[in-house]
Each structure stands twice: as C-alpha cells, then as structure tokens.
C-alpha cells in the first residue's frame, strides 16, 4: 500500500493510462535517454553485473505480469532497445567479417541487454514491486551507470563552501 496525502491507496485501484501519469517517470525517461549512448565499457559493466537466480526471476515475472503498470509500453521499449543493439548481436552470424576487435562480443551485448531489460522492468513496475525486488532488478544498472546527480554529490569539503 502506498500513502498519498494521508490516504492509503492500493495499486490496483489506481490504473495508469499513459507514461505521463507514472510516478517513476523521471527514472524511466532518464534510462531510455541514456541507453542509445552507452559506451562499450558501460555495456561490459552491465553484462558483468547481471545475475539470474530464483528471486530475480520471480521479481522479473512480477514486473512483466499483466497487472504491472504500462506493461505494453514496457514491452515496446524492450523492442526499441533490441533494435538499437541488433547490429552488435548480428555480428555473431557475420564472424567472417572484419570488425573492431575492441567492440564488445555479441554474448557480452546479449547479457548487457538482459541487465537493461531488467532495469527498465524495475523502473516501470516500481509501484507494484517490493523494495528488494526493485533493488535486485535495477541493481546492475545502478552499479554500472550511477545517476549523474549522484556522481560527486557527497559531502563537500570546507574549502568548497
């Protein structure tokens, strides 16, 4: 249950009809804007941080359930992300072509895509996920790509004042 101005609201009572109404709109838009600009290093960090276990699979199942907010829009976002990385994944079939040896390998990109999808699923489904489920799904994204406002936002030194 969520509190809203002193009242308790259950999620199913409050259906979203568009992304503009989503309580986690800022995070969703930031993630969608950052995905096309991921560097090879960030892709590798996402792939390295992604894990799968029963708990995460359950959280993923819950985030992609029909009761999840804007699940159709989330699946459309998955399709857009897949299109963005289709060239990197197609290199698996074109192994005889000459590619930059520093480009991430297709299996690394594939694993990074799983981390990206889990992060998006967490951002979209945040209102219905338990805190631990949300943290487990978005964790690889947050560890690999901290929010720009979080970088350097620690305590300031007296000389900086």
């Amino acid at each position: 249950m969520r509190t809203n101005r002193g009242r308790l609201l259950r999620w199913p009572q409050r259906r979203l009809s568009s992304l503009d109404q989503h309580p986690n709109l800022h995070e969703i838009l930031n993630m969608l804007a950052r995905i096309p600009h991921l560097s090879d290093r960030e892709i590798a960090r996402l792939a390295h941080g992604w894990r799968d276990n029963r708990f995460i699979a359950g959280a993923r199942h819950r985030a992609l359930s029909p009761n999840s907010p804007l699940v159709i829009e989330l699946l459309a976002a998955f399709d857009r992300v897949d299109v963005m990385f289709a060239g990197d994944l197609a290199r698996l079939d074109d192994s005889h072509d000459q590619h930059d040896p520093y480009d991430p390998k297709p299996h690394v990109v594939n694993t990074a895509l799983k981390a990206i999808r889990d992060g998006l699923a967490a951002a979209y489904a945040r209102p219905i996920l338990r805190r631990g489920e949300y943290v487990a799904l978005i964790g690889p994204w947050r560890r690999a790509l901290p929010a720009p406002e979080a970088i350097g936002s620690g305590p300031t030194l007296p000389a900086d004042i």
Side-chain angles (χ1 to χ4, degrees), residues 109-124:
V109 174
N110 189 36
T111 306
L113 279 172
K114 293 175 184 179
I116 291 168
R117 287 186 202 112
D118 279 358
L120 284 172
Y124 272 89

Side-chain angles (χ1 to χ4, degrees), residues 9-28:
L9 296 177
R10 292 191 183 276
W11 173 252
Q13 294 174 347
R14 199 173 151 246
R15 286 284 168 201
L16 299 178
S17 59
S18 74
L19 186 59
D20 295 337
Q21 299 172 342
H22 200 288
N24 204 21
L25 177 65
H26 179 72
E27 183 172 39
I28 293 168

Side-chain angles (χ1 to χ4, degrees), residues 12-95:
Q13 294 174 347
R14 199 173 151 246
R15 286 284 168 201
L16 299 178
S17 59
S18 74
L19 186 59
D20 295 337
Q21 299 172 342
H22 200 288
N24 204 21
L25 177 65
H26 179 72
E27 183 172 39
I28 293 168
L29 294 179
N30 283 340
M31 290 178 76
L32 291 173
R34 191 152 186 199
I35 291 169
H37 306 290
L38 292 175
S39 69
D40 292 345
R41 175 175 268 183
E42 291 168 332
I43 289 170
R45 290 177 68 192
L46 280 165
H48 180 70
W50 185 78
R51 299 288 182 269
D52 196 20
N53 58 39
R54 257 187 216 179
F55 180 75
I56 293 172
R60 187 180 305 116
H61 178 74
R62 187 172 156 108
L64 296 173
S65 73
N67 294 333
S68 185
L70 303 175
V71 72
I72 301 298
E73 286 82 354
L74 171 60
L75 295 174
F78 284 1
D79 288 341
R80 289 191 306 269
V81 169
D82 288 345
V83 167
M84 284 182 225
F85 290 95
D88 292 327
L89 293 173
R91 285 190 301 127
L92 186 61
D93 299 329
D94 300 337
S95 57

